[in-house]
Amino acid sequence: MNNKGYIGVIVALLLVCAYLGFNLSKKQDVIEVQAEEVADLGVERRELELELQKMMFSYDTLQTENTVLMAEMAAQKSQIEDLLKKVKDKDWSVSKLKKETNTLREIMKGYVVTIDSLNQLNQALMAENSEMRDRVATVEGEKENLLTRQQNMEGIIATGQILQAVGVSAQAINLRNSGKQVETSRASKTEMIKACFTVIENKIAKPGTKNIYLRIIGPDGKVLPSAEANASREFEGEGTQPYSVARSIDYNNKMMDVCVFYTVANEINDGDYKVFIYEDSHKIGSYDLILK
């Protein structure tokens, strides 16, 4: 082989080496970029894990006695725990984990607003009527009875499905010739008894028709009779009992105000009347009405 041949071979080898070196450099750059991406994903997973842990702590600091919210928040904490496991086990992509984390964060914000709203509602109800101070002992007794009944029920979810009433009140009504309803404290002028209350928001309860019953017990211990024939049903813990009046409401899981009217068939006596309110078979409120 002459000198030109050797030179050609050398040039070809140099070109091959240059090509291989160029490809190697490009692959090295790709490897470095991928390494940086992997590192970034690791940082994002750690940030997501920290955020989820903060959300768990936030749920632990939320205070409420509402069994519905307690059940819902327990379910959300369970979802956070499941998502934390996926973050640590690297089961899901970072983008999907971010999406689920954002959803859980928005849900938690909603609970914070709901609990704050309930607290404000309780304050408003306490300030609404100066007579509320005289009813504190009665309200506390009803609260204790409600807590006792709830503790005996099977599971917090089942308890949470029962509607809860706040701001219970009852009035004796006299009807004017114009049809206007006028409150009265005299038994002889009482033509109707009106019981009003607020059903609080309940996201667990099944929406739809709910049956509300009133049992009005007079000074003689007897239930004021219903206009319906054989108006009785079984109430939880009380067996089958007569009721005074029933009404159906269309409940859509949101807070709503309810009033139930009982028409007095015959003149009633003066004295203490106890008004008990039931949703289906569950007692949800009571009120003491005194007529002179």
Side-chain angles (χ1 to χ4, degrees):
M1 182 181 294
N2 55 29
N3 289 337
K4 290 183 177 180
Y6 284 120
I7 292 173
V9 171
I10 292 172
V11 170
L13 290 174
L14 288 173
L15 290 173
V16 170
C17 289
Y19 175 76
L20 292 175
F22 176 73
N23 284 342
L24 181 61
S25 177
K26 287 180 65 179
K27 290 183 178 179
Q28 183 65 32
D29 291 341
V30 171
I31 291 173
E32 290 178 357
V33 170
Q34 291 177 341
E36 290 177 359
E37 291 177 348
V38 170
D40 290 341
L41 289 175
V43 171
E44 289 181 341
R45 284 182 180 273
R46 287 194 293 273
E47 289 176 348
L48 286 172
E49 181 179 351
L50 179 60
E51 183 171 358
L52 290 169
Q53 289 175 343
K54 288 180 179 178
M55 288 170 61
M56 288 287 289
F57 176 76
S58 297
Y59 270 118
D60 290 336
T61 60
L62 292 176
Q63 298 294 324
T64 179
E65 295 181 358
N66 186 285
T67 54
V68 177
L69 293 180
M70 289 171 61
E72 291 180 358
M73 290 192 296
Q76 290 300 318
K77 288 176 66 176
S78 177
Q79 290 189 27
I80 293 174
E81 291 175 351
D82 291 341
L83 195 57
L84 267 171
K85 186 176 184 299
K86 290 182 173 66
V87 172
K88 295 177 181 179
D89 295 344
K90 301 179 180 180
D91 287 347
W92 284 4
S93 66
V94 171
S95 61
K96 190 172 182 181
L97 290 169
K98 283 183 176 180
K99 182 178 180 181
E100 292 296 320
T101 300
N102 289 335
T103 300
L104 291 173
R105 186 191 305 112
E106 292 303 316
I107 292 173
M108 186 184 72
K109 289 180 181 178
Y111 287 129
V112 173
V113 172
T114 299
I115 291 174
D116 183 63
S117 298
L118 285 175
N119 290 336
Q120 291 181 18
L121 174 63
N122 287 335
Q123 292 174 3
L125 289 172
M126 291 296 293
E128 186 178 274
N129 195 328
S130 60
E131 293 179 2
M132 188 62 72
R133 296 186 183 90
D134 299 330
R135 303 174 192 162
V136 169
T138 301
V139 171
E140 288 297 327
E142 292 173 353
K143 178 180 176 182
E144 291 298 325
N145 291 336
L146 178 61
L147 290 175
T148 300
R149 186 186 70 190
Q150 290 172 341
Q151 290 169 359
N152 293 332
M153 290 181 181
E154 296 181 359
I156 193 169
I157 300 298
T159 302
Q161 291 179 335
I162 300 172
L163 301 186
Q164 297 185 46
V166 296
V168 178
S169 65
Q171 298 174 329
I173 301 295
N174 177 256
L175 296 176
R176 297 286 175 84
N177 292 333
S178 63
K180 182 179 179 180
Q181 298 179 5
V182 180
E183 182 179 359
T184 181
S185 62
R186 295 197 169 276
S188 60
K189 293 186 178 182
T190 298
E191 297 179 69
M192 300 179 70
I193 293 177
K194 179 175 73 171
C196 294
F197 56 94
T198 298
V199 178
I200 67 173
E201 181 182 32
N202 186 328
K203 295 181 180 179
I204 291 180
K206 294 181 180 180
T209 301
K210 303 292 182 182
N211 295 318
I212 305 297
Y213 298 90
L214 289 190
R215 296 185 69 235
I216 305 174
I217 301 176
D220 58 359
K222 296 181 180 180
V223 177
L224 295 187
S226 171
E228 304 174 24
N230 301 319
S232 64
R233 65 153 296 137
E234 184 172 345
F235 295 102
E236 182 181 333
E238 301 177 35
T240 301
Q241 299 290 339
Y243 60 83
S244 302
V245 65
R247 178 196 165 182
S248 296
I249 62 173
D250 186 14
Y251 183 67
N252 60 359
N253 302 100
K254 296 181 180 180
M255 185 171 67
M256 67 181 297
D257 294 327
V258 178
C259 286
V260 183
F261 293 83
Y262 171 76
T263 300
V264 177
N266 302 307
E267 184 175 338
I268 58 177
N269 298 321
D270 58 355
D272 294 344
Y273 288 79
K274 293 187 176 294
V275 181
F276 294 102
I277 303 169
Y278 298 80
E279 185 267 309
D280 195 17
S281 64
H282 306 287
K283 184 163 67 177
I284 60 174
S286 64
Y287 191 87
D288 291 340
L289 177 65
I290 300 175
L291 298 179
K292 300 176 182 179

